[in-house]
Amino acid sequence: MTQATATTPSAIMPTYFFQLPIAFEKGEGIWLYDAEGKKYLDGLCGISVTNLGHSHPVITKAICDQAAKLIHTSNTFQIPAQQILAQKLVKLSGMEQVYFCNSGAEANEAAIKISRMFARKKNISNPAIVVMENGFHGRTMGVVGACNKRTRGGFEPFLPDFVRVPYDDLEAIKSAAHQYENIVAVMVEPIQGESGVHIPNENYLKGIREICDQHDWLMILDEVQTGLGRTGKWFDCQHFNVLPDIMTLAKSLAGGLPIGACLARGKASNMFQPGKHGTTFGGNPLVCTAGLAVLNTLEKDNLVKNAETMGNYVVKKLKETLGKKSEIKDIRGRGLMIGIEFDRPCRDLMAIGLKHGMLFIISADKVIRLLPPLIITQADADEIVKRLNLVADEFLNVR
């Protein structure tokens, strides 16, 4: 296979700030292996995608068996696995309907389209959606206007009427309600991941639910990263007994295969009538079979509870070790979605992490975003803490 060199540049568009100088050949459980056989503890999970680890035997078998039978047909025909997966998601979430697509961005696009249809029913011709500063909902042209400043840059003009307010500020949402008569929805992440694992006050989601009910708005929860067990509940909103009108999912739903889902209930249900939305690949037999295997494994192995238990343990151990360093401003998390905030830019940490066989990502320039697999044991958690301390010591020149 031809590799890119200084004289034969990569044919890939340079859409990422950088790529670390490593490629992986195989994965098993919590480990990834490079061409030389060196193993790396995967504390990233493809950004909360491979939540069951790599090469999980149940998921692998489900994919292989289905691929040998049928990969794709069309939503022109019935897809039994899609129906079963939708019923499973509805039962777990308390929602009523599911639209399957291919990514979190597409799921959020669907949520915006539903809010537009909802607005038409209310005779609002120029509907607005309240979104949060530093939020992230994807990179397609519709949702990019709802994202943080860096993600938005260069793609103006956006869809009109996103009303931007500070995150974790209920009073700002209430103020927006008085300033704008055309608001129809609030779109929010239960925990902001891309901007540095920011966890709001415990009354935040419940307060948004109350505001939406008061003004007859839709509450849209982007659970693309937090959903499906990551924070110690099936969905993060369940920590607070909050049920949105629309919920979006993706990432870990099919264990690494591309899938997204937009769930709706109540007044957000039945907005998509025939011809109003659709997809070629979304919800095909292969991805839905994988999705069912993922949900069944999470349930059978009690991995949602494990995420809560191990998450608490990792945060406790990190605070006892890394937390003693003056350069660490905060260690925060819910379940196995954990942020370690430094007092300085720390992108170099990722390269140092490779040296110590530890994978993670840096968010907002100063925060380690740690998203290990939900299958980790206490011994794995101890190894994560040990390696992160070695990485931090080298970065901070601790002797």
Side-chain angles (χ1 to χ4, degrees):
M1 179 169 56
T2 302
Q3 294 185 343
T5 67
T7 56
T8 60
S10 172
I12 304 296
M13 290 186 183
T15 54
Y16 298 95
F17 287 109
F18 63 91
Q19 286 186 313
L20 294 171
I22 188 171
F24 299 108
E25 288 205 341
K26 68 173 185 177
E28 184 176 353
I30 68 169
W31 301 99
L32 282 168
Y33 296 81
D34 66 16
E36 284 71 44
K38 180 180 176 180
K39 67 179 186 178
Y40 301 78
L41 203 164
D42 188 0
L44 177 59
C45 286
I47 312 183
S48 196
V49 170
T50 55
N51 284 1
L52 297 179
H54 300 282
S55 304
H56 192 289
V58 174
I59 312 307
T60 300
K61 185 178 187 303
I63 291 172
C64 290
D65 288 351
Q66 184 60 45
K69 293 190 296 184
L70 183 67
I71 292 176
H72 179 76
T73 54
S74 164
N75 283 294
T76 302
F77 311 105
Q78 293 185 5
I79 302 173
Q82 184 184 110
Q83 291 283 349
I84 299 169
L85 181 58
Q87 289 166 2
K88 185 86 171 176
L89 287 172
V90 162
K91 180 180 178 181
L92 290 170
S93 66
M95 306 298 280
E96 295 173 3
Q97 296 178 326
V98 184
Y99 167 78
F100 288 110
C101 49
N102 307 285
S103 68
E106 286 185 40
N108 286 325
E109 291 276 359
I112 291 174
K113 289 183 75 172
I114 289 173
S115 74
R116 290 290 181 92
M117 299 298 293
F118 177 70
R120 296 299 177 269
K121 286 200 167 189
K122 297 181 67 175
N123 296 314
I124 297 175
S125 58
N126 295 296
I129 299 175
V130 176
V131 297
M132 308 304 146
E133 292 176 1
N134 300 315
F136 184 83
H137 302 287
R139 298 182 185 274
T140 48
M141 200 60 231
V143 295
V144 72
C147 291
N148 57 62
K149 187 175 181 179
R150 185 169 69 179
T151 304
R152 298 196 310 270
F155 297 107
E156 302 85 353
F158 304 115
L159 287 178
D161 295 324
F162 285 121
V163 176
R164 207 171 310 278
V165 301
Y167 188 64
D168 196 16
D169 188 339
L170 293 174
E171 291 304 316
I173 300 175
K174 294 176 183 177
S175 178
H178 293 299
Q179 294 179 55
Y180 302 89
E181 296 181 350
N182 58 335
I183 293 172
V184 296
V186 176
M187 188 174 192
V188 63
E189 300 160 272
I191 298 174
Q192 285 192 335
E194 187 76 10
S195 67
V197 191
H198 292 295
I199 302 172
N201 291 315
E202 290 192 0
N203 67 339
Y204 186 54
L205 294 186
K206 189 166 287 188
I208 292 176
R209 177 70 275 174
E210 291 171 357
I211 294 169
C212 287
D213 289 342
Q214 179 183 353
H215 295 282
D216 192 28
W217 297 346
L218 298 178
M219 181 180 184
I220 304 171
L221 274 189
D222 180 340
E223 292 248 18
V224 168
Q225 187 167 161
T226 55
L228 303 169
R230 170 56 62 184
T231 70
K233 295 285 187 183
W234 278 101
F235 308 98
D236 191 75
C237 59
Q238 292 174 341
H239 286 283
F240 313 102
N241 297 315
V242 169
L243 198 58
D245 302 296
I246 301 173
M247 178 192 293
T248 56
L249 305 172
K251 288 196 179 288
S252 66
L253 179 52
L257 296 183
I259 188 172
C262 180
L263 285 62
R265 72 171 187 96
K267 58 192 177 187
S269 297
N270 298 310
M271 290 294 173
F272 284 158
Q273 296 298 312
K276 290 299 183 183
H277 204 42
T279 173
T280 296
F281 295 104
N284 74 28
L286 184 66
V287 296
C288 286
T289 297
L292 280 168
V294 166
L295 295 185
N296 290 337
T297 301
L298 286 168
E299 206 165 34
K300 175 178 175 292
D301 295 346
N302 203 22
L303 293 177
V304 177
K305 179 63 176 178
N306 190 62
E308 179 185 39
T309 302
M310 287 297 101
N312 290 339
Y313 181 80
V314 170
V315 169
K316 177 176 177 289
K317 289 296 180 180
L318 286 172
K319 287 183 176 180
E320 290 173 355
T321 54
L322 268 179
K324 293 180 179 179
K325 303 180 190 300
S326 62
E327 297 87 352
I328 303 298
K329 291 183 62 178
D330 191 25
I331 296 172
R332 52 186 178 263
R334 187 147 65 228
L336 285 170
M337 186 172 180
I338 299 166
I340 305 166
E341 184 174 353
F342 284 71
D343 65 356
R344 65 197 70 183
C346 60
R347 288 196 174 274
D348 291 347
L349 279 167
M350 292 175 66
I352 298 172
L354 290 183
K355 293 170 59 178
H356 294 280
M358 183 72 217
L359 306 178
F360 49 82
I361 196 168
I362 301 298
S363 297
D365 295 324
K366 296 182 180 181
V367 181
I368 291 178
R369 185 167 23 148
L370 188 63
L371 302 160
L374 276 54
I375 61 173
I376 64 169
T377 64
Q378 185 170 313
D380 298 329
D382 287 334
E383 190 65 27
I384 290 170
V385 173
K386 172 187 167 185
R387 294 185 184 218
L388 285 175
N389 272 278
L390 291 172
V391 171
D393 284 348
E394 181 169 338
F395 175 69
L396 299 170
N397 295 312
V398 173
R399 296 288 184 259

